[in-house]
Amino acid sequence: MSPIARYPGFLPVTILCLVILYAPLLVVMVYSFNESTSITRWGSFSLVWYAEVFSGPESAIFKAAAWNSLIIAIAAATSATVIATSAALAMLRAGTFRGKTASFALINLPLMVPEIVTAVATLIFFSAIGFQRGLLTILLAHIVFCIPFAYLPIAARLQGIEAHFEEAAMDLYATRWQALRLVLLPLMLPGIMAGFLLAFIISLDDFIITNFVKGAGIETLPTAIFGAVKQGIKPNIMAISTLMLLVSVLVVTASYFLSKLGNHNS
Amino acid sequence: MAGLAESGGSSSAFAPARLWLMLPSWVLIGFFLLLPVLMMLIYSFLTKEFRGGVIWEFSLASYDKFFFDRGLFGDEPPRIEWTYLGIFWRSAWQAGLATLLCLLVGFPTAWFIATRPARSRAIWLFLVTVPYWVNLLIRTVSMKFMIRDNGPVNEWLMALGVLDAPITMINTNFAVQLGLFYSYLPFMVLPIYAAVERYNFALSEAAADLYASRWQTLRLVVLPVVKPGIVAGSILVFVPSLGAFLAPDLLGGAKNWMIGSLIEDQFKGAAGNWPFGAAVAMVLLSIVLIVLFLYARSQNRVSG
Amino acid sequence: MKRSEIAVEIAGVDKVFGTGPGQSVALDNISFTVADNEFFTLLGPSGCGKTTLLRIMAGFESLSGGDVLLFGTRLADLPPNKRPINTVFQNYALFPHLSVAEYIGCGRRMLGQGRAESEARVAEMLRLVQLDAMAGRKPAQLSGGQQQRVALARALAPAPKVLLLDEPLSALDLKLRQQMRIELQQIQEETGITFIFVTHDQEEAVAMAVRSAVMSAGRRQQFGSAEEIYETPRNRFVADFIGETNFFEAAVVSNTGAGTRVRIAGGLEVDAAGPRPDGAKTMISIRPERFDLGVEGLPCTVDKLVYLGTDTHYHVRLSDGTPVMVRAQNHLGAAHAFAPGDSAALSVGPGAARVLAD
């Protein structure tokens, strides 16, 4: 790199950027191991708040919320991944067709509509058709806004696979579906996995839409945490936050390495 | 970014099955997003029922309430109602400042990362992206924890002798901007990074060759050439900031409402006015779609 | 040559990239001088360090050792934007957001000149490169040849003391390239600016330059006029890189008085010019056109011939199997004297053989 491209002061700004991004998360992680009941004073290292999360008086609420979050995230991510894979095949491996541009816009619509608008619209819709709000309404809403997140890595991966792979398979007398199953899907797998993991995280993270479409008494982790935070930040919230944070980082790291793996293959 | 996946792929092996392949996306997004948005549009023209719900009677009351003080249909001449326009104005202002803040930090960061050697570049980029995938609620709560009156930031500043007594940061406009900035900073870095990575550094050399200093080069050559990335990043920060709910709710408190808080209050909060909430959401959606439309048109002009 | 006539002096320049075990030497003790008002070429295969040397002159790379002097002034401490040197970049480096006129005027404006003055200069430059009609266009609306002219005009506009050209013609097709060579020479004569022209194309270098420096593997191989470099190559690399030639292992017959007499394969004895060889063996070079293919001389067999319009290349084989390339000019109406499989004889005129130092 030519020295022309170096700007003095850009390194400090980058460091500042990372400090701003990480400092709050690290502080919360550290304080989650604080023995003291007061969140302002540091006592000593302790796992007492993690014990509280799993067996304290609020543990039942959080456990139920965690189950709901997990079930919804797995179901929503799986459905969104299947739908996105099928859409990617249609968009990239089925030539041009009428309504292709509109279809592309439709797939990306959940990214363009502000989350709070999606939340309001979905609530109104379910209420207007008299659909009982509960886990199913959350799930349906999650599938919809997870589709574009699953679509992006899958389509990117499929685009990197040259057409002659499935053409070669069909040249060897494979049917279209055999070509898909035996050639294309295995090649697409890293992208599909990355798409699933992103959709999973997006579903697990969602607060606003869930908050609108959840039925009374049904909580996911974010809505349960939000409810608890309204009463003030307690140390057990920091312990839950730390656990969720670790799950997110693990899943994103896995997705990152999966997509790298895919790049090396092609 | 999104346009990348639209074209390409020369095979049409699955052309006969394309309807079946597209059908699930059409049905799900059409039925559970497009239709609901249309429903919301209809709701915004209905009459409110006490504590949520609607009466199926056409009414302009919601938009009237939003824009006019004494009512368009009253005896006295209507006057502009500033309460809600004020909230929109403040939201735009807050989102704009947050976008500017993200740009000031995000551009140097993106540039710095894009000029690293390829190996370390991936690591820097990963470091910037990871926080985005951490739950937004948790990030906002963490920020609330950091900047509260007796929180770590005040303690550090006092320990360093910068402050004598803690300053109030929570429940201020500053806290909201900080929260928005913190929430969406990676959205600014990534598109600018993509633009800088494509940037031909010979252009900077050509500028230096023409007697431009480093900073003149930045202003006269680099910024105009990577502008598409800057514009994309600004939109990706501005649009979600405009409709944000968590940052104003948790960090801004009751006095620093933004559009998101106003909408939420109509459905989940005390106001309970669904048609009005739908109308506010419609206005927000219209603004966002206009911004996106203008952006798409400028992109087409650049490429066409 | 008087000191004041020297525009650029490259004095023992070293350039090392990287540090430790991974380092690579790009330039190794390069020295030469370029006279004022000269059209000078830096010639060498890709990777020989010529572009690195150019970038050091322009200020885009730092020196690891040695010095670069511009009219006697050290350049090392000046950043690129303070050097009265301009570059025509290989891929032109046109600013996509500026029009042709804006781009050409850019340097003048940076130097703090008034609008009127810089506009006059832009008009002058546009005339010089025959792009008057294109002033308002953006780079994307120009052809490759037009882009090349804009890059040239924008580098000339600030009236630099030295113009560096980094393979500026390599992206153009043959016809355009030949036309641009002539134009570049005319512009150099008109403006009187010292041109340092980097190329890997030996034909281009020979056609354009008054003097050249030939580089290979970070070292200067030879420095001199095109004719000197072609006719008296110092070593095997130069002889091979500039034009075509035949190399022969030769036994020294006599090494006294007027010159060196050597014997090559097939028993041919020739007088060879150049440095005196130390031992009994040496390497000599004989250009294909210095051979005569006829009926008298060293017997050989014609393997193959390639008709090339102005001349014909014969691939012949000596009686001991040594392949030799011969080039004969074609004369109007004369059929090829030989066909593949024919027996013929080779002879060499005086001064054709050249002893190579290494």
Side-chain angles (χ1 to χ4, degrees), chain B residues 151-163:
Chain B
V153 169
N154 267 319
E155 275 183 19
W156 293 336
L157 289 177
M158 287 199 297
L160 287 171
V162 181
L163 294 177

Side-chain angles (χ1 to χ4, degrees), chain A residues 1-8 10-11 13-18 20-25 27-28 31 39-41 83 86-87 89-97 100-101 103-104 106-110 112-114 116-118 120-129 133 140 143-144 147 149 151-152 155-156 159 163 166-167 170 176-177 180 184 198 201-202 204-205 207-208 211-212 214 222 225-226 229-230 233 237-238 240-241 244-245 248-249 252-253 256 260, chain B residues 1-18 20-22 24-26 28-37 39-40 43 56 104-105 107-109 111-116 122-124 126-128 130-139 141-146 148 150 152 155-156 181-182 185-186 189 201 204-205 208 214-215 217-218 222 239 243-246 249-250 260-261 263-264 267-268 274 277-278 281 284-285 288-289 292:
Chain A
M1 188 55 56
S2 150
I4 294 294
R6 260 177 240 136
Y7 283 88
F10 278 20
L11 173 63
V13 175
T14 308
I15 304 280
L16 175 78
C17 175
L18 290 176
I20 295 171
L21 286 176
Y22 282 94
L25 300 177
V27 165
V28 162
Y31 272 83
I39 53 166
T40 49
R41 286 277 153 259
I83 293 165
S86 139
L89 285 171
M91 294 301 290
L92 295 170
R93 287 299 206 262
T96 49
F97 53 93
K100 188 173 177 178
T101 312
S103 299
F104 185 71
L106 196 70
I107 291 168
N108 284 292
L109 192 65
M112 292 189 277
V113 177
I116 190 122
V117 175
T118 307
V120 166
T122 315
L123 168 65
I124 286 176
F125 176 72
F126 284 134
S127 138
I129 62 171
R133 273 179 277 152
L140 283 169
I143 293 172
V144 168
I147 290 173
F149 286 94
Y151 179 82
L152 283 176
Q159 206 160 31
E166 72 260 22
E167 282 167 0
M170 285 159 78
R176 191 175 301 119
W177 299 112
L180 176 66
L184 216 44
L198 291 193
I201 286 285
I202 288 289
L204 205 62
D205 279 5
F207 165 73
I208 293 173
N211 188 38
F212 272 71
K214 77 188 174 74
I225 292 174
F226 184 78
V229 165
K230 281 285 168 181
I233 306 176
I237 296 297
M238 290 194 257
I240 295 182
S241 299
M244 283 189 76
L245 200 150
S248 301
V249 171
V252 170
T253 310
Y256 171 79
K260 266 186 87 110
Chain B
M1 186 169 61
L4 180 106
E6 187 181 9
S7 57
S10 51
S11 144
S12 349
F14 296 94
R18 63 190 166 211
W20 294 106
L21 289 169
M22 274 318 297
S25 336
W26 285 336
L28 264 143
I29 300 176
F31 204 69
F32 293 106
L33 184 58
L34 206 54
L35 195 60
V37 168
M39 207 72 133
M40 184 178 80
Y43 260 51
W56 282 81
L104 288 178
V105 175
F107 181 82
T109 304
W111 181 275
F112 178 81
I113 293 174
T115 53
R116 291 308 90 199
I123 296 167
W124 283 101
F126 184 64
L127 280 177
V128 170
V130 163
Y132 167 69
W133 296 106
V134 173
N135 196 311
L136 181 61
L137 174 64
I138 289 177
R139 280 189 291 156
V141 170
S142 306
M143 187 54 94
K144 187 183 173 92
F145 182 74
M146 280 288 280
R148 69 193 202 285
N150 47 7
E155 275 183 19
W156 293 336
F181 163 72
Y182 177 51
L185 180 56
V189 175
F201 286 94
S204 282
E205 291 185 347
R214 242 172 245 266
W215 298 101
T217 303
L218 187 68
V222 174
V239 166
F245 168 71
L246 285 173
D249 189 76
L250 290 174
S261 335
I263 295 176
E264 206 255 3
F267 293 93
K268 309 287 290 182
W274 283 33
L284 172 63
L285 181 61
V288 167
L289 290 182
L292 291 178

Side-chain angles (χ1 to χ4, degrees), chain C residues 19-35:
Chain C
T19 49
Q23 72 176 30
S24 65
V25 178
L27 295 174
D28 182 6
N29 193 21
I30 301 270
S31 298
F32 60 83
T33 56
V34 180

